[in-house]
Amino acid sequence: NPHGKGEASFTDGRLYKGPFEHGTMTGDNAYFRYDNGDTFEGSFIKDGFNCGRYTMKDDGSYFEGTFKNGQPDRGQWYDKQGNKLQ
């Protein structure tokens, strides 16, 4: 099982660069990209987003905060200029 800093690419086009703990994507300063170009930068816990910034490639809007079950939880959405969205 991978342990330490590494990179994983998946057959569906996803890419992960960051730390692993005993085979799971876990740790800080990680980068993740979906095949549609959306990206996440931040920390992972057991293969899931934990805390950081998720950016939508289509319009450049992004969420900064914490995540729960892979979805934005506590935080704020911004447009690409950094203005808060409701």
Side-chain angles (χ1 to χ4, degrees):
N1 287 340
H3 192 79
K5 196 152 180 67
E7 185 173 312
S9 53
F10 301 86
T11 56
D12 63 7
R14 292 176 297 146
L15 172 70
Y16 173 83
K17 294 180 182 179
F20 290 86
E21 277 189 16
H22 308 293
T24 67
M25 298 180 289
T26 297
D28 298 329
N29 300 315
Y31 171 84
F32 184 86
R33 187 191 71 229
Y34 283 104
D35 63 336
N36 68 0
D38 288 1
T39 59
F40 172 82
E41 294 177 77
S43 62
F44 271 71
I45 290 182
K46 296 182 180 172
D47 294 336
F49 302 154
N50 177 43
C51 183
R53 177 187 283 198
Y54 185 96
T55 304
M56 309 284 283
K57 181 182 182 292
D58 288 345
D59 63 5
S61 64
Y62 59 93
F63 174 85
E64 282 189 341
T66 60
F67 293 75
K68 189 173 185 178
N69 301 321
Q71 299 299 312
D73 185 33
R74 293 172 189 243
Q76 178 68 50
W77 279 98
Y78 299 88
D79 67 16
K80 64 182 176 187
Q81 285 85 25
N83 300 307
K84 286 184 180 182
L85 298 173
Q86 296 304 317

